[in-house]
Amino acid sequence: MLELYKIKAGFTLLFILRFPTKGLTDMQAKYELRNLFEIQSVQQKLAKVIDRSKEVLYEDDEIFIKNMEHHNLAGDDINRYRHWEWPQGVSLFGFWKLYENTGDKKYLDIITHFYDQQFQIGLPSKNINTTAPMLTMAYLYEYTKYGKYKEACTDWAEWLVKYLPRTREDGFQHLTSDTLNDNELWIDTLFMSVLFLAKIGTVTNRTEWVEEAKYQFLVHSKYLTDRKSGLWYHGWTFNGDHNFTEALWGRGNCWITIAIPEFLSIVKCEAGVEKYLVQLLTRQIEALEKYQSKEGMWHTIINDPTSYLEASATCGFGYGILKAVNTGLIDHRYIDCALKAVKPILDCIDDEGYVDKVSYGTAMGRESIQHYKDIEIRRMPYGQAMAILFLQEAIQLLKVIS
């Protein structure tokens, strides 16, 4: 595969096969002439982020732990949550993608060591956010066929479909470790829980789990999409039937940009369902093009330029767009939008490999849009992981078109 990149005729044929919508002569020349950044500089920054991410995976979030001392809904040992929550789930997914792309066993070892350690501590109570680390475990089970992974995954999936509280119309209620969120749909749920259900359902041939995952994409899109812009709201409550403050929140939207291509790579959907999801994604990306800042990043409230520029959302958008192009879901013209974000993200990475401009975990803004603008900036595992996802995908593309 890599040798083909060095042969002009071979690389051109490969690229046309991957992106069949148009000829690529003009675009190839455009990127060769532009040469905004060197692949080597991206690789160097990525290496620093990866090295730092191994440590960040185990950094304590003292704000979260202190809150759990008083608001742990399940009442179990809070040490079980210390390194098992949605930030670690996103981080593990980043390491899994590294292993998929490189075959380097050190990334597999990071993942297996994490799960071995957590099995010894004990897994926390099940909810939407604690499901996030299960996605990588489902991939790991598919790869290793290790029975302990299968047992944990199937037990968790059974809980999701049978015991997770539901909203009206049978949506997955966004139950978290500290909040019930009665009758509420949140944009985060599709990445945090539904991708896992789809993956383990596919791997274990549990058709009913796959069908449930399809339904959750449909019902969430019904209530969370903004029909005017094509972007997605953070949440919907059936207790009052509204979208809270109607926030078009950056990181929330990037979960969709990532989740739709990932879901369609996991599940072979009926043509109509796939077309519907691709149209949702395309409309969102069209809106993202419109609201992308001149620097190449996106604001934490996408349509509010007075809100700060945010790195995790930007990385998520960049990765999702490139993933969707790479898998043929959307037109390759969106590559420019994604690659415009590379340089500002490189500028967010310091010499120690920390990714800056990452907003802290964000609960529902129930009273005001200002809630999102006031969320503090912190170094977080998901910020590291989303940079890893984006920069990996960008490097692969840049190798092809350079």
Side-chain angles (χ1 to χ4, degrees):
M1 191 80 164
L2 289 176
E3 290 180 358
L4 288 175
Y5 298 155
K6 301 175 183 177
I7 304 171
K8 284 295 178 181
F11 120 75
T12 303
L13 176 61
L14 172 66
F15 207 40
I16 289 173
L17 287 172
R18 293 175 76 189
F19 311 110
T21 53
K22 296 180 182 178
L24 299 171
T25 304
D26 291 343
M27 192 185 74
Q28 180 187 340
K30 176 181 177 182
Y31 281 105
E32 287 178 346
L33 289 171
R34 177 179 277 184
N35 194 23
L36 288 175
F37 37 78
E38 297 290 336
I39 293 178
Q40 186 176 9
S41 67
V42 183
Q43 292 172 322
Q44 290 170 347
K45 286 280 191 173
L46 175 59
K48 289 183 178 181
V49 174
I50 293 169
D51 285 342
R52 184 58 59 188
S53 297
K54 300 171 192 174
E55 301 173 15
V56 174
L57 180 62
Y58 293 100
E59 285 184 359
D60 288 346
D61 180 350
E62 293 301 341
I63 296 175
F64 170 74
I65 295 299
K66 185 174 180 61
N67 177 66
M68 285 292 288
E69 290 175 357
H70 305 285
H71 300 99
N72 180 359
L73 290 183
D76 52 344
D77 183 358
I78 62 173
N79 285 314
R80 296 184 173 191
Y81 299 82
R82 189 172 293 275
H83 300 135
W84 185 288
E85 254 279 349
W86 74 266
Q88 290 77 26
V90 180
S91 184
L92 291 168
F93 187 66
F95 282 117
W96 177 257
K97 288 296 182 180
L98 278 170
Y99 180 64
E100 273 192 346
N101 290 334
T102 67
D104 193 328
K105 188 175 179 295
K106 68 184 178 185
Y107 301 124
L108 185 65
D109 290 342
I110 290 169
I111 297 167
T112 56
H113 173 76
F114 176 89
Y115 287 128
D116 288 345
Q117 182 169 302
Q118 288 302 131
F119 278 129
Q120 290 182 355
I121 295 170
L123 302 189
S125 180
K126 300 176 181 67
N127 60 59
I128 293 294
N129 287 345
T130 57
T131 301
M134 301 303 295
L135 174 60
T136 299
M137 190 184 293
Y139 278 97
L140 193 59
Y141 166 65
E142 180 182 40
Y143 179 73
T144 65
K145 302 303 181 186
Y146 183 35
K148 192 166 189 177
Y149 299 144
K150 180 181 181 181
E151 180 182 355
C153 286
T154 54
D155 176 65
W156 210 288
E158 289 282 4
W159 178 86
L160 278 175
V161 297
K162 291 182 178 179
Y163 302 110
L164 173 69
R166 301 286 185 122
T167 67
R168 274 177 22 209
E169 299 191 27
D170 227 22
F172 278 6
Q173 181 172 306
H174 194 81
L175 174 69
T176 67
S177 301
D178 60 358
T179 312
L180 186 60
N181 299 317
D182 179 58
N183 232 0
E184 294 177 12
L185 299 174
W186 287 29
I187 196 171
D188 320 49
T189 299
L190 295 177
F191 182 92
M192 301 303 164
S193 291
V194 178
L195 285 183
F196 157 70
L197 186 62
K199 182 62 183 177
I200 195 61
T202 301
V203 171
T204 59
N205 295 314
R206 295 291 294 268
T207 304
E208 69 275 23
W209 293 351
V210 175
E211 293 302 315
E212 182 66 58
K214 292 179 189 176
Y215 178 75
Q216 292 305 319
F217 269 87
L218 297 176
V219 74
H220 278 73
S221 69
K222 177 180 178 180
Y223 288 102
L224 296 182
T225 51
D226 171 26
R227 288 169 173 79
K228 291 182 179 180
S229 69
L231 297 170
W232 291 51
Y233 297 120
H234 188 178
W236 167 269
T237 176
F238 287 99
N239 297 333
D241 294 329
H242 57 76
N243 293 108
F244 299 100
T245 57
E246 299 188 353
L248 301 173
W249 173 46
R251 189 165 59 246
N253 267 265
C254 91
W255 296 134
I256 299 303
T257 321
I258 296 171
I260 290 178
E262 292 294 342
F263 180 70
L264 292 176
S265 72
I266 293 169
V267 176
K268 179 62 177 174
C269 290
E270 300 85 349
V273 173
E274 178 173 333
K275 184 176 182 179
Y276 172 76
L277 292 176
V278 170
Q279 290 302 319
L280 285 176
L281 180 64
T282 302
R283 278 216 67 205
Q284 187 206 43
I285 293 172
E286 287 172 350
L288 291 175
E289 272 193 314
K290 174 182 175 181
Y291 288 111
Q292 188 174 24
S293 73
K294 63 181 181 181
E295 296 88 352
M297 295 180 68
W298 281 270
H299 294 271
T300 197
I301 297 296
I302 296 172
N303 61 339
D304 183 354
T306 69
S307 65
Y308 56 77
L309 296 170
E310 207 279 330
S312 66
T314 296
C315 289
F317 292 140
Y319 171 73
I321 292 169
L322 294 181
K323 172 83 175 180
V325 172
N326 187 39
T327 52
L329 298 178
I330 61 173
D331 194 281
H332 73 263
R333 75 177 183 84
Y334 296 109
I335 288 174
D336 188 51
C337 176
L339 291 187
K340 186 179 175 183
V342 172
K343 187 178 184 304
I345 288 301
L346 296 182
D347 292 341
C348 289
I349 301 168
D350 67 20
D351 289 339
E352 296 182 343
Y354 285 111
V355 181
D356 193 16
K357 297 186 179 180
V358 175
S359 65
Y360 186 60
T362 305
M364 185 62 61
R366 299 176 185 275
E367 305 296 332
S368 169
I369 294 287
Q370 189 63 37
H371 164 78
Y372 298 90
K373 298 164 78 169
D374 291 340
I375 297 293
E376 67 176 298
I377 298 296
R378 291 194 68 183
R379 297 163 173 171
M380 297 299 294
Y382 53 83
Q384 303 289 122
M386 292 163 90
I388 289 171
L389 291 171
F390 177 38
L391 295 181
Q392 279 187 96
E393 204 75 13
I395 287 170
Q396 291 180 18
L397 177 65
L398 291 169
K399 283 182 177 179
V400 173
I401 63 179
S402 63

